[in-house]
Amino acid sequence: MTTPKALLILHGKQALNEDVRAAVQARREQGTELAVRVTWEGGDAQRMVADALEHGYTHIIAGGGDGTLRDVAQAMAHAKTDASLVLMPLGT
């Protein structure tokens, strides 16, 4: 069995969210290869999705509000990928 390879694209406001940090640590302890990238400016999510797909990530997790979730979902739709999209709604 291969180890799942996931990337969390996290809105910058959530970078210090202790619940998110604990969830990431728990998944890593369960054996998931989980990288985290934090958005800083417009277009980051799209670039991060493209990079993740290029590097073989099979699960893309969008963590943030409506805008982050939309940006990641749109980038994946345009990439026409078989990778899974996981939503982590963290908006207000």
Side-chain angles (χ1 to χ4, degrees), residues 40-79:
W40 177 258
E41 58 192 2
D44 281 352
Q46 294 85 346
R47 287 186 292 277
M48 290 174 187
V49 166
D51 186 60
L53 296 174
E54 183 179 319
H55 287 92
Y57 284 88
T58 56
H59 297 78
I60 309 294
I61 306 163
D66 294 348
T68 302
L69 303 182
R70 179 200 61 235
D71 290 348
V72 172
Q74 283 180 343
M76 289 184 70
H78 288 179

Side-chain angles (χ1 to χ4, degrees), residues 3-92:
T3 302
K5 188 173 178 183
L7 174 69
L8 168 58
I9 299 174
L10 187 64
H11 188 281
K13 284 185 180 180
Q14 298 297 327
L16 298 177
N17 183 321
E18 290 302 321
D19 290 333
V20 172
R21 288 176 170 269
V24 167
Q25 185 61 34
R27 293 301 295 181
R28 287 176 174 164
E29 289 172 359
Q30 294 172 354
T32 301
E33 181 180 335
L34 177 54
V36 179
R37 302 290 179 268
V38 178
T39 62
W40 177 258
E41 58 192 2
D44 281 352
Q46 294 85 346
R47 287 186 292 277
M48 290 174 187
V49 166
D51 186 60
L53 296 174
E54 183 179 319
H55 287 92
Y57 284 88
T58 56
H59 297 78
I60 309 294
I61 306 163
D66 294 348
T68 302
L69 303 182
R70 179 200 61 235
D71 290 348
V72 172
Q74 283 180 343
M76 289 184 70
H78 288 179
K80 298 179 179 153
T81 180
D82 289 333
S84 297
L85 172 61
V86 180
L87 302 179
M88 181 186 283
L90 298 168
T92 55

